[in-house]
């Protein structure tokens, strides 16, 4: 009996991060649905409600209530990578400090405050230790894989053209000033052999097609 109790306690401890991540992601899924609905029906104006006010306190995400996931800024786009079952909002803050704050809440953020999809649109995200959440599976992407970005009701399709790993201090050459690119960036989940710090995974993709209306 004592062994069974210990096993149940151990399982609950093991599942806790997954439960929190699922709760956090369910909250973000609602934000994504709201964004897509708004851009699919631009003439309909919604009144703000308590559930759609996302400019609240500064509580960082760890083991917290859903109400603490509020971000600073606006949803700039939606990133969808079917291969790794990922659908995430990309937040653009009003300042670099906003981006840092939003990243601490496990949102994906733009690298700066101005670059559009016409340039090299860089998306940063954490690599959660919980499998299947955040950029945890970014290392599975390979050259030739595809994904898309939805912005203002338009779907932009991309094909991966480069996958690199580099130390942060040596990563600048992997962010060239190119047009019609999306670059995805996250840390490796584990320390690679022979390195004293985790490298960053850098996935660059080129735009291959545009759909005038997402899903049309």
């Amino acid at each position: 009996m004592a062994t069974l109790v210990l096993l149940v306690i151990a399982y609950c401890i093991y599942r806790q991060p997954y439960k929190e991540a699922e709760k956090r992601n369910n909250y973000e899924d609602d934000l994504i649905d709201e964004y897509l609905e708004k851009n699919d029906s631009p003439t309909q104006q919604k009144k703000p409600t308590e559930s759609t006010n996302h400019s609240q306190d500064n509580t960082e995400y760890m083991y917290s209530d859903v109400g603490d996931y509020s971000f600073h800024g606006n949803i700039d786009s939606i990133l969808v990578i079917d291969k790794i079952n990922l659908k995430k909002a990309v937040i653009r803050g009003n300042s670099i400090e906003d981006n840092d704050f939003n990243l601490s809440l496990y949102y994906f953020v733009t690298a700066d405050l101005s670059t559009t999809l016409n340039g090299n649109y860089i998306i940063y995200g954490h690599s959660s230790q919980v499998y299947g959440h955040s950029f945890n599976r970014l290392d599975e992407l390979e050259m030739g894989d595809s994904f898309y970005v939805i912005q203002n009701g338009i779907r932009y399709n991309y094909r991966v053209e480069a996958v690199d790993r580099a130390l942060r201090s040596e990563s600048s050459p992997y962010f060239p000033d190119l047009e019609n690119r999306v670059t995805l960036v996250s840390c490796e989940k584990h320390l690679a052999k022979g390195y004293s710090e985790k490298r960053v995974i850098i996935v660059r993709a080129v735009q291959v097609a545009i759909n005038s209306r997402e899903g049309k």
Side-chain angles (χ1 to χ4, degrees):
M1 184 64 181
T3 301
L4 178 60
V5 171
L6 289 175
L7 288 174
V8 170
I9 293 174
Y11 178 76
C12 290
I13 293 173
Y14 166 77
R15 282 294 305 167
Q16 183 65 19
Y18 285 88
K19 289 173 61 178
E20 289 292 333
E22 289 166 4
K23 184 170 64 175
R24 159 69 177 73
N25 282 3
N26 287 338
Y27 176 81
E28 185 172 352
D29 286 344
D30 290 340
L31 299 182
I32 292 172
D33 290 342
E34 179 185 319
Y35 174 87
L36 295 177
E37 181 181 350
K38 176 182 177 182
N39 284 280
D40 193 50
S41 304
T43 58
Q44 297 180 7
Q45 298 295 326
K46 292 186 176 182
K47 295 182 180 180
T49 64
E50 183 178 353
S51 62
T52 59
N53 180 10
H54 311 301
S55 59
Q56 303 169 359
D57 56 64
N58 294 325
T59 305
E60 291 194 7
Y61 166 67
M62 185 55 67
Y63 297 105
S64 55
D65 293 328
V66 169
D68 293 330
Y69 303 147
S70 304
F71 59 83
H72 299 168
N74 299 285
I75 295 178
D76 194 60
S77 64
I78 306 298
L79 171 65
V80 182
I81 310 177
D82 289 329
K83 179 179 180 179
I84 59 175
N85 194 30
L86 182 145
K87 188 174 186 180
K88 293 280 288 184
V90 180
I91 311 299
R92 191 188 295 273
N94 300 311
S95 67
I96 295 300
E97 290 74 20
D98 284 348
N99 281 3
D100 291 339
F101 169 77
N102 295 332
L103 193 60
S104 76
L105 301 183
Y106 282 77
Y107 286 107
F108 287 6
V109 303
T110 59
D112 56 51
L113 307 179
S114 59
T115 302
T116 68
L117 292 174
N118 292 325
N120 188 4
Y121 186 84
I122 301 172
I123 300 173
Y124 286 115
H126 279 307
S127 181
S128 170
Q129 292 301 313
V130 178
Y131 179 79
H133 296 281
S134 299
F135 260 150
N136 181 279
R137 299 177 61 191
L138 185 64
D139 57 358
E140 296 179 29
L141 292 187
E142 302 171 312
M143 290 181 60
D145 287 340
S146 61
F147 62 83
Y148 59 93
V149 173
I150 303 170
Q151 187 177 72
N152 299 324
I154 300 174
R155 170 171 164 165
Y156 301 82
N157 300 284
Y158 294 86
R159 182 183 65 250
V160 175
E161 62 178 359
V163 179
D164 297 289
R165 289 166 175 77
L167 295 173
R168 289 181 183 275
S169 59
E170 301 172 356
S171 63
S172 294
Y174 298 97
F175 298 94
D177 187 15
L178 299 174
E179 295 181 349
N180 299 323
R181 290 328 194 262
V182 164
T183 300
L184 313 176
V185 186
S186 187
C187 290
E188 291 182 305
K189 295 190 295 291
H190 307 291
L191 185 65
K193 184 177 180 180
Y195 291 89
S196 60
E197 62 180 273
K198 291 182 180 180
R199 298 173 298 179
V200 289
I201 303 172
I202 306 165
V203 177
R204 189 175 71 238
V206 60
Q207 189 180 107
V208 293
I210 300 176
N211 294 6
S212 59
R213 294 295 292 178
E214 200 285 317
K216 303 294 185 181

